[in-house]
Structures are given as structure tokens and as C-alpha cells.
Amino acid sequence: MKKLPIVFHKKILVLGLAKSGTAAAEILHDLGAFVTVNDSKPFEQNENAQYLLSKGLTVICGSHPEDLLDEGFSLIVKNPGIPYTNPVVAEANKRGIPVWTEVELAYRISEAPMIGITGSNGKTTTTTLIFEMLAAANKKPKIAGNIGTVATSVAKEATEDNIIVTELSSFQLMGTEDLKPKVSVLLNLYEAHLDYHRDFQEYTDAKFKITQKQDASDWLVFNGEQQIVKDYAQKSNASKIPFYVSLKTKDGISADDLYVYWNGEQLFNRSIIALRGKHNLENALAATATALMMNCSVEAIIQVLSTFHGVKHRTQFIKEWKGRKFYNDSKATNALATKSALEGFTEPVILIAGGVDRGHSFDELIPYLHRVKALVHYGATKDRLQKFGEAQRIPSVVSVQTLGEAFEMATELSSEGDIILLSPACASWDQYESFEIRGEEFINRVISLEE
């Protein structure tokens, strides 16, 4: 871990705990800072605050006092989930106090080079693919960031022999200043998180911060087929590597129906890629370009692409049973995500959908419904999905109450050669606390099928 003179013997406020705030506070303390932590959760119920107090840090819990900043802090490190409208954060901005997220701290203390991946969709799959490719090539990667592993904890232990592969959200990127990944990946930009960001412009500007400090010695891998991403890429000083999934090109990495190309030359047969769908082809090309920049062999890349069947709950292949293939796409909480899943299949699909009714349109699914032989739906949206399925003349549209009933009905309706796909197009909260719990139930039911 690098020393950080900018924090030594300085008063620093860590705003919001959870895993990332707790790790950041402890590391700042180890670096010689005078750390105060502030969390809205009461001290009596706050194990993280109790732990940090035992380490000698100042702890303020239960609220965010209006006079908190009168202590003369020179830096705030905030939890990414705390919005910039928070009174403490807003006042810090007025006073010119820098506000970081912990990923900025992670970058500054890391001895290892960093790869950063962002975008509206596909971050977790691409991050995992890159990590697996680097591991297959013996590059000693570590994985961190929005994927669930606290970046500062990883950076603290990493050495110059490692490579940190980091999934980065717009929430994290807004709180960066000097972040300069060796390779940045910008997958795509769609409207998202507008309950956090003021508008789409603020959201996309936050994403662009992944490459803002890069120079010609670094690389930016970006979507060459999305105009907004191309426009942002033109502002970057990094060496640029576009990816294209719809046509062969002479620059960057591209694919047609048969091959993947590197600067116009055949790299490998596209059919080796185990992941299904155009969106996963984007992820695979972005990961491959990144791995090549980090000197991974084509053999290591092919080994991963031919065996990787997806991140859990994201068009995840579970198993084949009596000629039927089961896929868990519980992460698909809107129609756009379900559309991407359907796009990846040419076989007949039994689609299981339903959940919380957010009032979203299902019309994005229409161009892909010709491959859906049955729609089995459940939950709060079942009435809307029944009308939608009938209006689109899906051959069989069946309404049930629960995912368990939907699974049994989908299996009963299926034939050899069919895909049984859980891709709900809805959030999970009517019957499940999270999409992960919903996906786990589906996985367990598939695994329990008797041969």
C-alpha cells in the first residue's frame, strides 16, 4: 500500500459506513489521518461504528448534525449511495472541501495497475470475464468495486505484480479526481439512476470520469456503435479501441456472424463464445480487447470465452434436462434486460416473467416474441402480462400465482429443444426481498429436477 501524504495528520470525515466506509475509515486511520466517522444508524445497532470506536476513531451516529463540518475537515470520503443533495455533502461542496468515494482512495493507495469497467449494462459480466482471462494468463488479478468487493480493501493488499479489475458505478465515479486506470472500458450509456443524478447529462458525465485523467499511455475500450459513447470517447486522451458487434472493421475489435477480428484480422471463431446474445457479445469483445492490452494470450482468452456461462442471475445457464436448457436471468428487472436475453436465443423459448408492477411498457419485447412459444407469468403484473401476451398472439399465455407454480407450468409446457428462461422484466419485491433470492429459488428448482 502506498503512503498518502495528503491525508497524514489531516482531519478527515468518513460519511456513511457499511463495508466501503468502514474499510476506508480504517485505512485512513492506518495512514495517519485523524478520522471521524458519521453514520445515520444508531450506535447501539451499528457494529461497524462500534468496531471503529474500539480502534480509536471518533464516531458520531444516529444523524448527520448540521454543524458537523465545523470541525475543520480537509477531506470527506462518502459512501457512494449518499446523494450529493445530502446537507453535509452539499455544504462541503459550498466550502470547497473535496468529496471522494472510496474508489478514489483505493486508486491512490494501490501499487497495482487498475482496469476500470463502467456502463449502464453489462459491467458485472465484463468485469468477471476480464478477471477470468487475466487469471487464465497467470496475471495475478484481483477483483473489486461495485461487484461486491471493497476496492480499498483489495488495493491495500495488492502489489505491483497484481492487476485490480474494478467494476465502477456512476455513484462511485462521481467522487473521483485523479482516478487513472491503465485500461478503461465504457460499454454503453442508457438512462438510469435518474433518482440519484439530477439528469441524464450528470449521469453520463459521471461515467466519463473513468477516462478523464487517462493519457496516450492508457487505453479506452468503448462501444463504437453507440453514438453517445463515441462522442464521449472523442474527448478522451487515451489510446482508443472501439468494439463493434454488427460488422467487421479494420480498427479495434469486431465481429460478424462467423469470426471475431482484431484490427481486421481473424482472431478466433465466434462460435466458441459460450455466452448468448448481442449484449454478451459486446461484453466478450470488450473483455477480449482489454485482455489483449494486458498481454494475455489468445489461448487464455479462448479458454475463458468457451467455458464461461454467465454471472449468476444474468442469463446464467444452469443445466440441460431431458433436452431442455434452463437459464436464470433474474437480474432482468425491466423489459430492456429481458429483450437482451430473448435476443440471444434462436430456439423456442418458454418465458417466465412477472413481479412488481412499475408501470413500465413491455413493448420492447415485441420484436423478439416470435421465438416465445409460451409466456408463463405470475405476481403483481400478471394481469398486464396476460393482456400483453394475448395481444401479441403468443401461442400459450398462462397466469399463475407464484414462481414455483410458473416453473412447474413452464416445464410441463416445454418440449425437447426448448429454452426455459426466467427473465422477469419486473422487480422482485412483491414476493422476494431481492432478485438474487428469486434467482436462487429458480436455480434450486432446476437442480432438483429428477433425471
Side-chain angles (χ1 to χ4, degrees):
M1 180 173 70
K2 292 179 182 176
K3 299 295 182 184
L4 204 55
I6 193 174
V7 306
F8 184 71
H9 281 191
K10 298 291 176 60
K11 287 186 175 182
I12 296 176
L13 173 65
V14 174
L15 192 62
L17 289 180
K19 290 191 296 183
S20 65
T22 303
E26 192 168 11
I27 286 170
L28 287 164
H29 178 70
D30 292 343
L31 289 167
F34 302 124
V35 182
T36 297
V37 298
N38 176 225
D39 194 70
S40 59
K41 190 175 182 180
F43 181 79
E44 296 76 16
Q45 304 166 23
N46 199 324
E47 292 182 6
N48 290 323
Q50 294 169 24
Y51 167 74
L52 291 173
L53 182 65
S54 74
K55 297 276 289 184
L57 282 71
T58 301
V59 174
I60 301 171
C61 287
S63 67
H64 300 301
E66 291 184 7
D67 61 352
L68 188 60
L69 296 183
D70 293 344
E71 292 294 318
F73 296 110
S74 59
L75 171 68
I76 294 175
V77 178
K78 78 171 189 70
N79 184 291
I82 296 174
Y84 286 79
T85 54
N86 175 280
V88 176
V89 179
E91 181 62 25
N93 285 329
K94 281 184 185 177
R95 298 188 189 190
I97 302 171
V99 179
W100 294 356
T101 47
E102 60 94 24
V103 73
E104 174 73 12
L105 176 62
Y107 171 74
R108 294 191 183 218
I109 67 171
S110 177
E111 296 178 6
M114 184 177 287
I115 296 169
I117 300 94
T118 199
S120 301
N121 297 320
K123 295 185 296 296
T124 300
T125 297
T126 304
T127 300
T128 308
L129 278 170
I130 293 169
F131 172 81
E132 295 293 345
M133 289 172 180
L134 293 172
N138 298 313
K139 299 292 182 180
K140 300 179 181 178
K142 293 180 176 290
I143 200 163
N146 199 46
I147 201 166
T149 309
V150 177
T152 46
S153 298
V154 174
K156 179 182 178 182
E157 303 299 329
T159 72
E160 59 187 12
D161 293 329
N162 298 120
I163 300 171
I164 301 178
V165 186
T166 315
E167 179 183 327
L168 297 170
S169 70
S170 60
F171 298 1
Q172 292 168 312
L173 286 166
M174 273 193 80
T176 60
E177 291 181 356
D178 288 352
L179 177 71
K180 184 177 180 287
K182 190 63 185 171
V183 183
S184 292
V185 179
L186 182 52
L187 292 165
N188 44 58
L189 291 171
Y190 302 105
E191 285 199 2
H193 301 305
L194 298 187
D195 54 344
Y196 182 97
H197 296 286
R198 285 195 304 263
D199 51 33
F200 185 55
Q201 185 71 51
E202 183 182 272
Y203 168 70
T204 55
D205 284 348
K207 292 290 194 181
F208 178 67
K209 292 189 80 172
I210 197 170
T211 183
Q212 209 157 25
K213 292 291 185 177
Q214 288 186 297
D215 58 36
S217 68
D218 307 310
W219 292 280
L220 170 63
V221 178
F222 68 96
N223 190 331
E225 294 183 294
Q226 192 181 20
Q227 189 60 49
I228 187 173
V229 174
K230 290 168 64 178
D231 291 343
Y232 270 106
Q234 290 308 308
K235 302 176 185 179
S236 172
N237 293 318
S239 299
K240 299 175 183 66
I241 305 172
F243 63 83
Y244 308 86
V245 298
S246 302
L247 71 165
K248 173 185 175 183
T249 62
K250 291 184 179 179
D251 64 321
I253 189 165
S254 60
D256 59 19
D257 290 341
L258 296 177
Y259 297 102
V260 170
Y261 303 90
W262 179 248
N263 293 328
E265 300 293 328
Q266 284 185 22
L267 192 61
F268 51 76
N269 195 307
R270 177 177 163 176
S271 65
I272 65 98
I273 301 174
L275 289 172
R276 310 290 285 272
K278 178 183 175 183
H279 64 301
N280 276 323
L281 181 58
E282 291 180 356
N283 301 334
L285 295 189
T288 297
T290 302
L292 289 172
M293 290 302 93
M294 301 308 292
N295 298 315
C296 292
S297 67
V298 176
E299 290 74 20
I301 292 168
I302 290 173
Q303 175 188 328
V304 172
L305 289 177
S306 60
T307 56
F308 184 81
H309 287 284
V311 177
K312 210 170 195 181
H313 312 303
R314 294 163 174 84
T315 325
Q316 170 200 6
F317 173 70
I318 304 171
K319 78 171 185 179
E320 184 169 343
W321 173 81
K322 296 186 177 180
R324 292 104 165 132
K325 292 181 179 178
F326 290 80
Y327 286 82
N328 164 34
D329 193 38
S330 183
K331 180 66 167 64
T333 57
N334 55 49
L336 177 63
T338 296
K339 180 210 79 164
S340 295
L342 288 174
E343 193 176 19
F345 298 104
T346 56
E347 304 95 327
V349 175
I350 313 287
L351 175 62
I352 301 174
V356 170
D357 190 348
R358 290 165 151 178
H360 294 168
S361 171
F362 297 117
D363 288 352
E364 290 185 74
L365 303 179
I366 292 173
Y368 305 94
L369 294 178
H370 63 277
R371 62 198 66 175
V372 176
K373 64 181 279 187
L375 169 62
V376 184
H377 56 89
Y378 70 97
T381 51
K382 65 180 187 297
D383 292 339
R384 284 186 62 215
L385 282 167
Q386 183 71 29
K387 292 176 182 177
F388 176 76
E390 290 174 352
Q392 299 307 317
R393 298 183 179 180
I394 295 173
S396 181
V397 183
V398 182
S399 177
V400 295
Q401 295 297 318
T402 67
L403 175 57
E405 292 172 358
F407 177 83
E408 292 177 6
M409 179 58 67
T411 306
E412 184 178 320
L413 291 171
S414 68
S415 305
E416 188 172 339
D418 287 351
I419 301 294
I420 299 177
L421 170 67
L422 170 66
S423 190
C426 301
S428 61
W429 309 313
D430 57 340
Q431 298 185 8
Y432 300 93
E433 290 184 7
S434 68
F435 72 83
E436 291 95 341
I437 295 173
R438 175 172 65 185
E440 289 295 341
E441 175 171 342
F442 183 75
I443 291 170
N444 291 335
R445 287 180 178 275
V446 175
I447 291 172
S448 298
L449 287 169
E450 295 181 2
E451 297 298 333

